Amino acid sequence: MDVVLAGTDSLWLLRKVRSEKDLELVATDEAPLAPTVRASNLPAIVGALPQDFRVIGPQTPLELASFSREARPCIGSVRARTIPGNLPPGAFLRVNGLSGKDLRIFVEGTALTLTHMAARLAQPIKEKTLTEQAAFFRLMSLASELCGTYGRDPTNPARGNCAWGVEPLCTALELKQSLVEVSGARGVRQARRAAGLVTPGSASPPRACLPWL
């Protein structure tokens, strides 16, 4: 069974893998086969995730990708995000090294990660708890991280320890090109804007911000 994490849960695992030597991200053009997740599948899915993954429950549902509205699971402990139909090659990354039996776990690739974060940041802007400039700065910082040689702490990205000297997930040009092929997704316009300002090969968060200083 293929399981595709989405949104912030996907980003958490993406960062976790970059900081763990026993885990590996594998780029693949093979599309995940994501059947409808049932409540009986949840214990196996949660058991396969790293031990420090957050608690899953009705108030804190697991974010999963769905490839059609009809296939979205109706489970209280799962929030399904419908993935747009037009996606670039390598839209998802397979995670190797997790202990799930008969489970393959995928995370969103760089284009979807940035697009979904842009969509998520639209809400605090609407609620006026975050300015448009501050939200875009966060988005640009994430784009630089994806193309950089460091990875933020998955649980405490603002103040936790970074992983240093890791392989970039993509180049700045690859990120821009992959976003061109994403269509029909909320946030993609802002994601493209952020990708156009990314610092290639940044080695640290402060260096990623240098063009803005």
Side-chain angles (χ1 to χ4, degrees):
M1 176 181 179
D2 291 350
V3 177
V4 186
L5 268 61
T8 54
D9 285 343
S10 173
L11 179 56
W12 186 96
L13 187 55
L14 187 74
R15 285 170 164 161
K16 179 70 174 179
V17 175
R18 296 188 84 196
S19 65
E20 295 285 339
K21 294 181 179 180
D22 294 337
L23 299 176
E24 178 187 23
L25 288 170
V26 179
T28 175
D29 289 338
E30 176 190 8
L33 302 173
T36 300
V37 174
R38 304 182 185 279
S40 58
N41 302 132
L42 276 178
I45 295 171
V46 174
L49 295 171
Q51 290 186 351
D52 52 345
F53 194 80
R54 65 183 183 82
V55 175
I56 302 300
Q59 302 303 317
T60 54
L62 181 67
E63 291 191 69
L64 296 180
S66 174
F67 295 93
S68 70
R69 292 185 179 275
E70 295 75 20
R72 292 171 65 175
C74 297
I75 308 172
S77 296
V78 169
R79 179 167 61 230
R81 180 188 294 273
T82 303
I83 300 295
N86 296 325
L87 295 174
F92 303 96
L93 300 169
R94 192 174 71 244
V95 180
N96 284 353
L98 297 176
S99 59
K101 183 179 180 181
D102 299 325
L103 277 177
R104 297 196 307 171
I105 295 182
F106 293 77
V107 294
E108 295 171 338
T110 54
L112 285 180
T113 294
L114 196 63
T115 298
H116 285 165
M117 185 53 64
R120 183 175 293 273
L121 286 170
Q123 187 62 30
I125 294 174
K126 182 179 180 180
E127 296 172 349
K128 299 187 184 302
T129 57
L130 201 64
T131 66
E132 290 187 18
Q133 293 84 353
F136 186 73
F137 186 84
R138 291 189 186 184
L139 193 64
M140 187 277 300
S141 297
L142 175 58
S144 293
E145 177 188 348
L146 298 174
C147 298
T149 60
Y150 66 94
R152 292 183 183 272
D153 183 282
T155 302
N156 188 358
R159 297 181 176 83
N161 294 325
C162 285
W164 305 110
V166 299
E167 286 292 320
L169 292 170
C170 63
T171 67
L173 179 59
E174 288 169 341
L175 180 59
K176 287 187 284 187
Q177 289 176 336
S178 61
L179 282 164
V180 170
E181 300 186 49
V182 177
S183 62
R186 291 177 57 239
V188 69
R189 183 178 298 178
Q190 282 291 76
R192 290 170 180 165
R193 181 182 167 214
L197 298 171
V198 71
T199 303
S202 176
S204 68
R207 187 175 296 178
C209 297
L210 284 177
W212 292 72
L213 299 178

